[in-house]
């Protein structure tokens, strides 16, 4: 029954937008990272992203990581500044052991900007953490 389903709370997993220099193209880019602060590997990590507003919706983007090692991070995607005018949702689903976890992270519209950058210690770069 529905009342018997236990949905565990996701802790120590974060999504961040990081402003960093791209050595290849010699540009400053915005990139999205997933951060695993747990002392255990995350398996079968699936990230579904979409930007949206009342009148616009972007295409769904999907990314899969077989394993995100303990106390590590991985780049998910480049994000274009034009999308900052939209809400940006990142739905993250993964296995920790034999337990399935799911959490939706949200960057509200106009919250991704240089003035909001803070040091993200795990990545050692400046960025913004999702809610």
């Amino acid at each position: 029954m529905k009342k018997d389903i236990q949905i565990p709370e996701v802790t120590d997993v974060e999504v961040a937008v990081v402003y960093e220099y791209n050595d290849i193209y010699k540009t400053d880019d915005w990139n999205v990272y997933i951060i695993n602060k747990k002392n255990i590997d995350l398996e079968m990590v699936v990230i579904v992203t979409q930007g949206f507003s009342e009148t616009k919706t972007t295409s769904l983007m999907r990314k899969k990581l077989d394993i995100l090692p303990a106390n590590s991070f991985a780049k998910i995607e480049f994000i274009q500044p034009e999308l900052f005018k939209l809400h940006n949702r990142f739905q993250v689903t993964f296995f920790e052991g034999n337990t399935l976890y799911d959490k939706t992270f949200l960057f509200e519209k106009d919250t991704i900007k240089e003035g909001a950058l803070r040091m993200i210690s795990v990545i050692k770069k400046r960025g913004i953490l999702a809610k």
Side-chain angles (χ1 to χ4, degrees), residues 50-59 85-87 109:
Q50 186 172 44
F52 64 95
S53 70
E54 292 178 8
T55 58
K56 293 182 183 180
T57 302
T58 66
S59 299
K85 293 182 172 76
L86 303 174
H87 299 290
K109 68 177 184 173

Side-chain angles (χ1 to χ4, degrees), residues 59-74:
S59 299
L60 282 175
M61 301 290 285
R62 294 173 183 85
K63 174 82 174 185
K64 179 182 80 93
L65 303 169
D66 291 326
I67 292 180
L68 183 58
N71 299 302
S72 70
F73 58 90

Side-chain angles (χ1 to χ4, degrees), residues 64-117:
K64 179 182 80 93
L65 303 169
D66 291 326
I67 292 180
L68 183 58
N71 299 302
S72 70
F73 58 90
K75 188 184 295 188
I76 300 171
E77 65 184 23
F78 165 79
I79 186 168
Q80 297 175 324
E82 294 80 26
L83 296 175
F84 300 166
K85 293 182 172 76
L86 303 174
H87 299 290
N88 288 280
R89 175 177 43 224
F90 294 82
Q91 184 175 355
V92 178
T93 306
F94 60 90
F95 280 96
E96 181 183 324
N98 290 326
T99 305
L100 181 68
Y101 289 82
D102 181 74
K103 182 171 181 177
T104 300
F105 296 89
L106 181 68
F107 292 97
E108 293 186 7
K109 68 177 184 173
D110 298 321
T111 59
I112 303 172
K113 52 190 169 192
E114 286 189 55
L117 294 172

Side-chain angles (χ1 to χ4, degrees), residues 17-33:
V17 172
V18 174
Y19 192 57
E20 59 190 337
Y21 186 72
N22 183 323
D23 290 324
I24 296 170
Y25 297 108
K26 310 291 187 228
T27 59
D28 290 315
D29 292 340
W30 294 91
N31 292 299
V32 182
Y33 285 84

